[in-house]
């Protein structure tokens, strides 16, 4: 009789405990139902200041860089191919990768869990898909406190490299090495007091691949890059607060002067560009397109790298028709851009003569 009473007591306690557990269970929501914000678009970075960089020695790079455990491989629950992330009073469900890759459907999205930023209280995941036989991937941050999702756009098909958090949690730095050319992109996101992210500064390194990004302090970023697929490396530093976008890249006066270029297309129409650069913040362009003349003044140039500048002389044109580039190679100059392709069919650049 005593044994029976004991069993009933244990059963009653267990039932009560199950009821308590059930009452505390969290609502499971699918990530497809969640709202998210997208940041990192190139057009937003284009209108923001560019990072300056200055080459340093490998020894200086290694002495300056710091190692901070700002990103952790914290485990999360995974069951039947799905991830379950604890989000405040809910559980966010993400469909994981199907082991049978042949079953991936057009437009279907699956996720990989990457890790966790304790200082930001954010999960990091990659959202993956397939379209017309091409794999695509995006990097996403999920706020553990409020469930807000932020997607960081990649300049290419695959996701950006996992961003590196600055020591005082004010910035995230990330990079992406493009597959179809030998360029790399470095972006800086600023973090406000509410942990919202916005584009801050960026840099495109032409003919470089970035291999490593570190922080030395909250404003000094360090870059390890290569031009020969990692056989040798170059090392750079950048003060992200610097307002001089040309520091360490070029001297402004090297661009100052008057430039002239002309070409005759297959219809014998002659197009002439006369470009006057008083400074990178004061440029005038006169275009004579077979007798149709246009003039633009007070234009500012954007530095692409130490040998190339971008000039948007008419932002109202579509498809970059109002944009040209000037590039120097030793003592020679070239003008390029979409308008040049139309003027000089089959080519995307023309010689540009520096008159004075």
């Amino acid at each position: 009789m005593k044994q029976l009473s004991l069993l009933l007591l244990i059963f009653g306690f267990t039932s009560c405990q199950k009821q308590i557990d059930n009452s505390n269970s969290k609502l499971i929501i699918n990530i497809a139902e969640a709202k998210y914000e997208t940041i990192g678009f190139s057009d937003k970075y284009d209108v923001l200041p560019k990072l300056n960089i200055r080459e340093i020695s490998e020894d200086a790079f290694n002495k300056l860089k710091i190692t901070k455990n700002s990103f952790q491989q914290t485990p999360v629950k995974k069951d039947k191919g799905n991830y379950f992330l604890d989000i405040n009073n809910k559980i966010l469900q993400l469909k994981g990768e199907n082991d049978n890759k042949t079953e991936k459907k057009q437009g279907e999205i699956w996720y990989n869990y990457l890790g966790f930023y304790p200082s930001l209280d954010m999960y990091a995941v990659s959202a993956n898909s397939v379209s017309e036989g091409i794999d695509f991937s995006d990097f996403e941050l999920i706020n553990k406190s409020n469930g807000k999702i932020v997607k960081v756009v990649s300049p290419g098909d695959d996701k950006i490299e996992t961003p590196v958090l600055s020591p005082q949690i004010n910035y995230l730095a990330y990079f992406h090495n493009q597959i179809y050319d030998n360029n790399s992109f470095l972006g800086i996101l600023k973090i406000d007091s509410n942990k919202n992210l916005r584009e801050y500064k960026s840099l495109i390194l032409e003919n470089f691949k970035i291999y490593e990004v570190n922080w030395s302090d909250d404003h000094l970023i360090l870059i390890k890059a290569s031009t020969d697929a990692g056989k040798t490396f170059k090392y750079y530093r950048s003060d992200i607060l610097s307002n001089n976008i040309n520091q360490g890249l070029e001297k402004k006066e090297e661009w100052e002067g008057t430039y002239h270029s002309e070409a005759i297309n297959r219809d014998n129409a002659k197009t002439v560009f006369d470009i006057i650069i008083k400074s990178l913040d004061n440029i005038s362009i006169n275009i004579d397109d077979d007798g149709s003349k246009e003039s633009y003044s007070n234009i500012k140039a954007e530095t692409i790298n130490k040998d190339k500048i971008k000039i948007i002389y008419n932002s109202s044109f579509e498809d970059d028709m109002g944009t040209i580039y000037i590039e120097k190679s030793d003592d020679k100059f070239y003008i390029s851009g979409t308008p040049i392709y139309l003027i000089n069919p089959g080519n995307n650049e023309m010689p540009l003569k520096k008159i004075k």
Side-chain angles (χ1 to χ4, degrees):
M1 190 66 175
K2 289 183 179 180
Q3 290 179 344
L4 179 60
S5 299
L6 181 60
L7 288 172
L8 290 173
L9 179 63
I10 293 173
F11 177 79
F13 176 81
T14 305
S15 299
C16 181
Q17 186 65 38
K18 285 184 178 180
Q19 289 177 5
I20 293 173
D21 290 342
N22 288 335
S23 66
N24 290 331
S25 62
K26 297 182 178 181
L27 176 66
I28 298 178
I29 59 174
N30 194 296
I31 193 171
E33 303 170 8
K35 296 180 180 180
Y36 61 86
E37 176 188 6
T38 304
I39 62 173
F41 290 108
S42 59
D43 58 344
K44 290 191 176 180
Y45 276 120
D46 285 344
V47 299
L48 293 170
K50 298 297 173 285
L51 290 166
N52 65 67
I53 60 172
R54 179 164 65 86
E55 189 170 357
I56 58 176
S57 67
E58 180 181 4
D59 185 56
F61 177 89
N62 290 327
K63 286 181 178 179
L64 284 170
K65 77 176 184 179
I66 63 171
T67 301
K68 187 174 177 64
N69 191 20
S70 61
F71 186 72
Q72 299 177 356
Q73 302 297 326
T74 307
V76 295
K77 182 181 177 181
K78 188 176 184 182
D79 183 49
K80 296 180 180 179
N82 294 317
Y83 294 100
F84 296 89
L85 306 184
D86 191 7
I87 304 293
N88 196 4
N89 61 343
K90 299 181 179 66
I91 298 293
L92 187 65
Q93 178 179 314
L94 293 75
K95 182 178 181 180
E97 182 173 7
N98 193 324
D99 293 334
N100 188 355
K101 299 182 185 299
T102 60
E103 293 184 3
K104 293 176 182 175
K105 298 178 181 179
Q106 185 90 357
E108 181 183 19
I109 298 177
W110 70 95
Y111 293 83
N112 290 109
Y113 173 71
L114 303 175
F116 186 70
Y117 290 92
S119 301
L120 294 177
D121 202 27
M122 292 181 182
Y123 300 103
V125 301
S126 66
N128 315 288
S129 61
V130 173
S131 179
E132 296 181 357
I134 301 175
D135 291 332
F136 294 91
S137 180
D138 284 307
F139 179 89
E140 295 184 3
L141 288 167
I142 304 173
N143 192 308
K144 185 178 179 180
S145 300
N146 56 28
K148 181 179 179 180
I149 303 174
V150 176
K151 177 187 293 185
V152 184
V153 172
S154 170
D157 297 339
D158 54 338
K159 69 177 179 63
I160 62 171
E161 297 296 325
T162 302
V164 183
L165 184 63
S166 68
Q168 295 180 28
I169 320 173
N170 286 317
Y171 304 95
L172 273 174
Y174 65 92
F175 67 90
H176 179 270
N177 292 320
Q178 299 183 15
I179 298 174
Y180 304 111
D181 55 36
N182 200 32
N183 299 336
S184 58
F185 173 85
L186 173 63
I188 306 292
L189 299 172
K190 187 169 177 58
I191 307 168
D192 67 16
S193 57
N194 295 319
K195 296 181 181 177
N196 295 314
L197 305 173
R198 63 176 175 83
E199 301 85 352
Y200 182 66
K201 288 186 178 181
S202 66
L203 177 70
I204 294 177
L205 286 174
E206 293 191 337
N207 300 317
F208 275 86
K209 297 293 184 186
I210 297 177
Y211 282 76
E212 187 178 342
V213 165
N214 282 276
W215 291 93
S216 178
D217 58 37
D218 211 59
H219 302 138
L220 186 62
I221 194 166
L222 306 171
I223 306 162
K224 178 180 178 181
S226 175
T227 59
D228 55 12
K231 295 177 183 177
T232 60
F233 294 99
K234 292 188 176 183
Y235 303 86
Y236 301 89
R237 57 178 287 173
S238 175
D239 181 353
I240 68 171
L241 296 183
S242 173
N243 291 323
N244 179 8
I245 67 172
N246 302 293
Q247 178 184 342
L249 287 175
E250 63 172 324
K251 295 179 180 178
K252 282 187 176 181
E253 57 267 23
E254 291 182 359
W255 290 104
E256 294 174 4
T258 300
Y259 301 80
H260 178 85
S261 182
E262 59 183 67
I264 299 176
N265 67 17
R266 62 184 64 173
D267 297 321
N268 289 322
K270 184 177 180 180
T271 302
V272 177
F273 278 86
D274 285 308
I275 304 166
I276 302 170
I277 301 179
K278 295 180 180 179
S279 73
L280 293 183
D281 294 327
N282 188 0
I283 300 173
S284 299
I285 298 179
N286 297 313
I287 305 173
D288 185 342
D289 187 9
D290 199 32
S292 178
K293 298 182 179 181
E294 298 176 357
S295 295
Y296 303 89
S297 59
N298 298 319
I299 307 166
K300 292 184 179 182
E302 172 188 324
T303 299
I304 302 299
N305 58 42
K306 65 183 182 67
D307 294 322
K308 190 173 185 179
I309 59 175
K310 177 181 180 180
I311 303 172
I312 302 176
Y313 61 87
N314 191 332
S315 59
S316 67
F317 288 170
E318 296 181 354
D319 301 323
D320 290 332
M321 280 296 296
T323 302
I324 60 171
Y325 298 84
I326 297 179
E327 187 169 8
K328 57 185 177 182
S329 176
D330 297 326
D331 59 345
K332 296 180 179 180
F333 292 85
Y334 299 91
I335 181 173
S336 62
T338 304
I340 309 308
Y341 179 82
L342 299 177
I343 298 165
N344 193 21
N347 298 279
N348 195 37
E349 68 177 22
M350 294 191 303
L352 187 63
K353 183 178 180 181
K354 187 173 183 179
I355 300 173
K356 59 180 180 179

